[in-house]
Amino acid sequence: MERAAVIVAIDGPSGTGKSSTSKAVAAQLGLSYLDTGAQYRAITWWMVNNGIDTDDPTAIAAVAGKPEIVSGTDPSAPGISVDGTDVAGPIRTQEVTSKVSAVSAVPEVRARITELQRSIAAAAENGIVVEGRDIGTTVLPDADLKIFLTASPEARAARRSGELKGADLHTTREALLKRDAADSSRKTSPLAKAGDAVEVDTSDLTLQQVIECVVTLVEEKQAGK
Ligand SMILES: Nc1ncnc2c1ncn2[C@@H]1O[C@H](COP(=O)(O)OP(=O)(O)OP(=O)(O)O)[C@@H](O)[C@H]1O
Ligand SMILES: Nc1ccn([C@H]2C[C@H](O)[C@@H](COP(=O)(O)O)O2)c(=O)n1
């Protein structure tokens, strides 16, 4: 039986499981996948690589339209490039992570990336899972399903320090909270739960349980379309 195309928005703070969940749900249901954090990381990487002062919003705004960012939407191999260079690895460095909140707070950057995100979602014939911070509130306010993932700072720090091969738990927790605070307090399109989003606290759930929960919610939406 052919399934209805659905647009799914998954938002939430860092380390709540957005990427892992979104990729698995998209793969399981044959949907496209878009990692919007990777796009903000890619434009931040370009700024750093081109010597733009990431503490200067005017300098960032002046060049926000220059880099060409191409995002893959295959959940099993998403990929991302800037001006033809594969940046999937470089966008995960500590330097980019520490600067991405400042760059993504600049309205000209958000306008550029939001437009790109909307065009990618519109082109996804079988539907798409789009994950980020402002997808349900700003980018795709008419999404068929909106999920807001949360988890305690302790759970999120433990997950991240596991990923970073045993990085200090306290330092990891503080860095996560600092980034969340910056992302939640910016003027333009902050990290926020949409009024009609389903909140899922993943603190005490395994990744598999979260995936099953979201797959069920998506299938219910598809059945009702
Ligand atoms: N429910 C869970 N239980 C245990 N570990 C999890 C769970 N969800 C995700 N993880 C692990 O936590 C880490 C962070 O997950 P993920 O990258 O999906 O989070 P995120 O919300 O996309 O973070 P960010 O916004 O910083 O990119 C990964 O190592 C992932 O495998
Ligand atoms: N829709 C989005 C997605 C991401 N960002 C910014 C804020 C995050 O700290 C950063 C990196 O995201 P991550 O790769 O950790 O998911 O990108 C945003 O402002 N809006």
Side-chain angles (χ1 to χ4, degrees):
M1 191 184 74
E2 200 164 300
R3 289 177 167 142
V6 277
I7 298 213
V8 181
I10 302 195
D11 291 300
S14 299
T16 50
K18 298 181 301 296
S19 299
S20 323
T21 305
S22 302
K23 267 190 260 188
V25 169
Q28 203 167 314
L29 298 177
L31 306 177
S32 297
Y33 161 73
L34 180 62
D35 178 353
T36 64
Q39 296 176 315
Y40 285 105
R41 287 172 179 272
I43 198 164
T44 302
W45 173 86
W46 185 90
M47 297 286 164
V48 171
N49 221 35
N50 284 275
I52 310 299
D53 179 359
T54 55
D55 290 324
D56 181 349
T58 308
I60 293 170
V63 294
K66 287 196 170 179
E68 195 207 350
I69 297 171
V70 177
S71 297
T73 57
D74 175 350
S76 60
I80 183 147
S81 69
V82 181
D83 297 336
T85 301
D86 177 355
V87 294
I91 62 169
R92 304 287 163 194
T93 61
Q94 197 45 48
E95 183 177 25
V96 170
T97 301
S98 66
K99 293 179 169 166
V100 64
S101 291
V103 173
S104 61
V106 176
E108 287 78 1
V109 168
R110 297 209 75 79
R112 171 95 202 286
I113 301 288
T114 297
E115 191 188 342
L116 181 60
Q117 292 160 353
R118 287 181 179 150
S119 69
I120 292 170
E125 286 178 2
N126 298 328
I128 189 165
V129 182
V130 184
E131 55 122 334
R133 302 291 191 290
D134 62 338
I135 310 306
T137 53
T138 303
V139 179
L140 301 167
D142 296 327
D144 297 293
L145 175 65
K146 301 178 187 178
I147 312 265
F148 194 79
L149 296 183
T150 62
S152 67
E154 290 68 32
R156 297 191 283 131
R159 291 171 189 172
R160 274 274 173 258
S161 62
E163 235 177 15
L164 302 170
K165 306 277 178 293
D168 175 66
L169 212 55
H170 178 74
T171 313
T172 306
R173 182 180 183 278
E174 295 310 299
L176 277 176
L177 293 178
K178 190 176 167 202
R179 191 143 64 92
D180 288 351
D183 296 340
S184 307
S185 63
R186 67 173 173 242
K187 282 208 178 100
T188 311
S189 202
L191 158 66
K193 175 178 175 285
D196 52 351
V198 179
E199 185 166 332
V200 180
D201 184 344
T202 71
S203 307
D204 299 318
L205 300 178
T206 64
L207 177 56
Q208 198 48 43
Q209 287 173 322
V210 181
I211 293 166
E212 279 165 22
C213 167
V214 176
V215 164
T216 302
L217 290 169
V218 176
E219 286 179 333
E220 282 170 5
K221 276 290 162 194
Q222 286 175 318
K225 272 193 111 184

